[in-house]
Structures are given as C-alpha cells and as structure tokens.
Amino acid sequence: MNYQEHARNIRKNIVKMVTEAASGHPGGSLSAADILTVLYFNEMDLTKENAGSKDRDRFVLSKGHASPLLYAVLAEKGILDEAALKTFRKIDSKLQGHPNMNYVTGVDMSTGSLGQGISCAVGMALANKVQKNDHRIYTLLGDGECEEGQVWEAAMAAAHYQLDNLCAIVDFNGLQIDGDITKVMNPTPIDKKFEAFGWHVIDIDGHNYEAIEKAFEEARATKGQPTMILAHTIKGKGVSFMENNAAWHGSAPSAEQCAQAIAELGGE
C-alpha cells in the first residue's frame, strides 16, 4: 500500500470518528495526515511488535487535540483495533479527546495542554542521549501552538543540549480555533525564530510525500542541533468544505456532511 492509500484511509477514519462522537477536531487532524503517514510508514521503526517497548523511535503529539489523527494512524499501522475508533470520545472509551499514554499502546505521551508536548519530547531526547539510546524522538506542533511561551523554552533547551536526535514538525496551516494565526497572536516568522533559537530548519510542502521523506532524511543527517520541519499544509485537507476553514478546527460534521466527505476521499 502506498502513502496515498494510507493517508486516504487515515483521513476517512478521522472524519468517521469525529462524526460518530459528534465532537472533535477534524481540521488540524486532516492537515497533518500526510506528514504522519510518511513518519509512521517510512521514517520511524515503530511496529505492532515493539509498540510497547521503549527501545524504538517515539512520537509526541504536542497538538494533542488532533488525537483523531493519531488514533487513525495507529489503527492503520495495526497497533490499535480499528473497531475501537467508533468509541472515540465516548464514556469509558480509552480513546479520549486528548491522547492518554496510560490507556493506548503506541501513544508515547499524554498531551493536550499546548506547549507541553514539545517539552516532553525534549526530555525524551535528552534521556536518550544520557542513556546512549540511538533512537529518535519526533513531535508535531500546531502553528497556533507556537504562540505558547513554553514552546520557546523547550526550543532553547533542545538547542542548548544539542539534541540532534529530536525532530519537531510544525503543522503550518495558518488557522487556529479563533481564525488566522497572524490576527490572533502572530507567531511568524516561525522558521526564523527556530533558527534564532539554534535549530536546523527545513521548509517544505506538507502534502508532498517526496519532500516529507527528504526532510526526515535531512533531519537524521543533521548533527549538533535539533531540526524543525516547517510543513505548509491546508487545514481540513481532502474535504472540500473543510479546507482553509477555521470553523472546522473543532466542529463535527453532520451525517450528510460525513457522507460527502467520505465520498470525496474515495468512498466507504
């Protein structure tokens, strides 16, 4: 199965989960689906067999509200039972609105408070350095999340400790819950800021699989400093009425809208 097929399955499950729950965050989950497809199906050494082990690459979803994306990816990898996706955000479900590492195998950090995920990823990367563990740490941030001061404290620490085993990806779709990021609390230029904090920065199209692959390769080859991949994406990517629409940051589609979205994504 190729990236496109995996990403299409992941996007369909995101839409289905949020519709079933009548709650969730589809826009920013859909925008980062291509990034996590390459990360999980090419870059990281995570498998169903080693999912419960610390002896592997790890991923922290710093933008924890995009949990539908993470659950859909874990299901696509065969680590999470796809049938469980129907329980998303329901009472007694392990698939909470924000991921909980105590309940779901393959979730490497409980996240939700923006800014804290990248801080945890920095701690993981530092621990690997101390323990001489060569496995890498990856984390996904939202562009609106970069308005949090804690992000920059973590960025400063990562560069100070030369954490070249850490790769952060910013899902740069330009929109957050209240609208255009530049009008809410402008965090741009994000790339120049990370560079100023001592990071190696790679600027890519976050929907171009070849570009995503090459960026991860470049990150692995970078020594002496952490890497940030600034991935330009489209909020709600793949669903026409959700694309570039901040209203779909945290809104659930109706049954009719879900059917349209699934049809646009290839049906079923």
Side-chain angles (χ1 to χ4, degrees), residues 9 19 22 31 40 63 65 69 97-98 103 115 126 141 164 171 184 190 209 235-236 239 241 252 261:
N9 291 339
T19 302
S31 63
Y40 274 78
K63 45 178 275 180
H65 55 279
L69 168 60
H98 295 83
Y103 298 146
L126 184 58
L141 296 88
D164 49 18
D171 181 15
V184 177
I190 295 173
Y209 298 122
K235 191 114 174 174
V239 179
F241 58 87

Side-chain angles (χ1 to χ4, degrees), residues 159-239:
H160 177 79
Y161 291 110
Q162 299 181 333
L163 300 181
D164 49 18
N165 58 341
L166 174 65
C167 177
I169 309 105
V170 175
D171 181 15
F172 190 46
N173 59 45
L175 296 172
Q176 59 191 101
I177 192 168
D178 290 323
D180 186 329
I181 62 167
T182 64
K183 295 178 180 177
V184 177
M185 182 59 67
N186 191 357
T188 64
I190 295 173
D191 52 351
K192 299 300 181 185
K193 288 176 180 175
F194 270 91
E195 285 176 354
F197 272 75
W199 288 56
H200 176 63
V201 175
I202 308 168
D203 194 295
I204 65 166
D205 174 352
H207 300 305
N208 183 309
Y209 298 122
E210 183 179 0
I212 298 168
E213 265 192 6
K214 288 183 177 179
F216 284 134
E217 289 174 6
E218 185 176 330
R220 266 187 281 116
T222 299
K223 303 302 177 185
Q225 61 183 153
T227 294
M228 190 277 279
I229 299 172
L230 186 66
H232 296 265
T233 62
I234 296 171
K235 191 114 174 174
K237 175 68 174 177
V239 179

Side-chain angles (χ1 to χ4, degrees), residues 39 43-45 53-61 108-109 117-129 131 133-140 158 163-169 199 216 219-220 226-229:
L39 180 63
E43 178 64 17
M44 291 200 302
D45 62 357
S53 168
K54 293 181 180 179
D55 191 26
R56 59 169 175 81
D57 296 334
R58 306 181 78 77
F59 171 74
V60 177
L61 181 66
D108 293 326
M109 180 52 61
I118 185 175
S119 300
C120 293
V122 169
M124 290 179 179
L126 184 58
N128 276 6
K129 286 285 189 180
Q131 297 169 1
N133 181 333
D134 291 333
H135 286 96
R136 295 178 59 74
I137 307 297
Y138 298 87
T139 184
L140 179 71
L163 300 181
D164 49 18
N165 58 341
L166 174 65
C167 177
I169 309 105
W199 288 56
F216 284 134
R220 266 187 281 116
T227 294
M228 190 277 279
I229 299 172

